[in-house]
C-alpha cells in the first residue's frame, strides 16, 4: 500500500478530489479488511479537506451502525427513518443539507456541525450497504463538486464490499 498522502495546496476541491482518488485506490489495494480500508479512507478525507467529521454507517439488521470514522464521537445507531443518513438510505440518493438546523429530523451529534453531505453505498446486489457521511462546521459547505468527488470514492468502496 501507499505510505504517504500527497494533497495539493489549493482551495479547489475538484483538484484535490482528482489527486486523492487514485491515491485512495492505491492505499487500499491488496488489503482485504474492510474496516481497515474504510478507516484509511476517512483519514484521507479528513487530512485532505479538514472536514469536521467523516465516517461510514453500515446497514446491520434494521439500522445504520457507526463504522470507521474520523472526528468527534458520534451516535452509534441510526434508524432508517431518522436523520440525514436515514433519509439517504431510504431514498437511495445523495443528500446535501446546506443547513442542518433546517433539516427536519437531523441528528445532532455535535452542535458544531452546520452542513453535511451523505452518499449511499451500493452492494453488488443493488441494496444500500451503508452510507458515507461528511459533516462540516461551515454552513453550505457542500455542492455538486463534492457529490461527484465523493461519489468516485464511494465507487472504490463498492468494489471491495
Ligand atoms: N448527521 C447525521 C448523524 C450522524 S452524525 O452527524 C455523525 C444525520 O442526521 O443523519
Amino acid at each position: 500500500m501507499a505510505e504517504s498522502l500527497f494533497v495539493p495546496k489549493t482551495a479547489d476541491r475538484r483538484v484535490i478530489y482528482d489527486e486523492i482518488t487514485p491515491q485512495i485506490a492505491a492505499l487500499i489495494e491488496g488489503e482485504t479488511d474492510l474496516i481497515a480500508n474504510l478507516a484509511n479512507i476517512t483519514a484521507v478525507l479528513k487530512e485532505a479537506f479538514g472536514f469536521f467529521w467523516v465516517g461510514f454507517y453500515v446497514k446491520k439488521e434494521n439500522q445504520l451502525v457507526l463504522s470507521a470514522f474520523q472526528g468527534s464521537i458520534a451516535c452509534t445507531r441510526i434508524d432508517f427513518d431518522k436523520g440525514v443518513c436515514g433519509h439517504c438510505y431510504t431514498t437511495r440518493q445523495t443528500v446535501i443539507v446546506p443547513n442542518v438546523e433546517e433539516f427536519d429530523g437531523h441528528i445532532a451529534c455535535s452542535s458544531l456541525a452546520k452542513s453535511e453531505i451523505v452518499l449511499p453505498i451500493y452492494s453488488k446486489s443493488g441494496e444500500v450497504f451503508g452510507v458515507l457521511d461528511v459533516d462540516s462546521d461551515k454552513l453550505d459547505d457542500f455542492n455538486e463538486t463534492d457529490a461527484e468527488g465523493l461519489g468516485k470514492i464511494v465507487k472504490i468502496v463498492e468494489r471491495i464490499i
Side-chain angles (χ1 to χ4, degrees):
M1 65 165 253
E3 287 179 4
S4 60
L5 178 70
F6 170 70
V7 181
K9 293 196 192 323
T10 171
D12 186 338
R13 284 194 184 166
R14 190 177 299 275
V15 172
I16 299 176
Y17 282 118
D18 285 349
E19 186 61 52
I20 64 169
T21 302
Q23 292 185 74
I24 286 175
L27 184 62
I28 66 176
E29 190 166 316
E31 176 52 65
T32 56
D33 189 275
L34 182 61
I35 297 292
N37 286 330
L38 296 183
N40 261 341
I41 291 171
T42 62
V44 171
L45 289 171
K46 180 89 170 151
E47 185 174 332
F49 297 103
F51 290 135
F52 177 71
W53 195 92
V54 184
F56 292 94
Y57 281 90
V58 172
K59 175 187 179 277
K60 290 194 177 158
E61 291 147 9
N62 294 319
Q63 288 177 310
L64 291 168
V65 181
L66 184 63
S67 184
F69 73 96
Q70 292 261 319
S72 49
I73 56 172
C75 54
T76 51
R77 289 173 184 269
I78 298 176
D79 290 334
F80 296 146
D81 61 348
K82 295 272 164 37
V84 184
C85 290
H87 187 65
C88 173
Y89 179 85
T90 51
T91 61
R92 301 167 57 89
Q93 303 289 326
T94 295
V95 183
I96 294 176
V97 179
N99 180 353
V100 295
E101 284 184 14
E102 291 174 0
F103 185 93
D104 194 22
H106 170 253
I107 301 164
C109 295
S110 166
S111 59
L112 295 175
K114 302 286 188 226
S115 61
E116 69 178 86
I117 181 169
V118 184
L119 298 94
I121 302 164
Y122 291 103
S123 64
K124 290 186 177 57
S125 62
E127 291 170 7
V128 179
F129 169 85
V131 301
L132 169 60
D133 178 3
V134 184
D135 297 353
S136 172
D137 56 4
K138 300 177 192 71
L139 282 168
D140 199 13
D141 202 17
F142 300 104
N143 59 33
E144 277 309 307
T145 299
D146 301 287
E148 196 182 308
L150 293 170
K152 288 179 184 163
I153 293 166
V154 162
K155 290 271 174 271
I156 294 173
V157 174
E158 288 172 346
R159 295 206 297 254
I160 58 167
I161 56 175

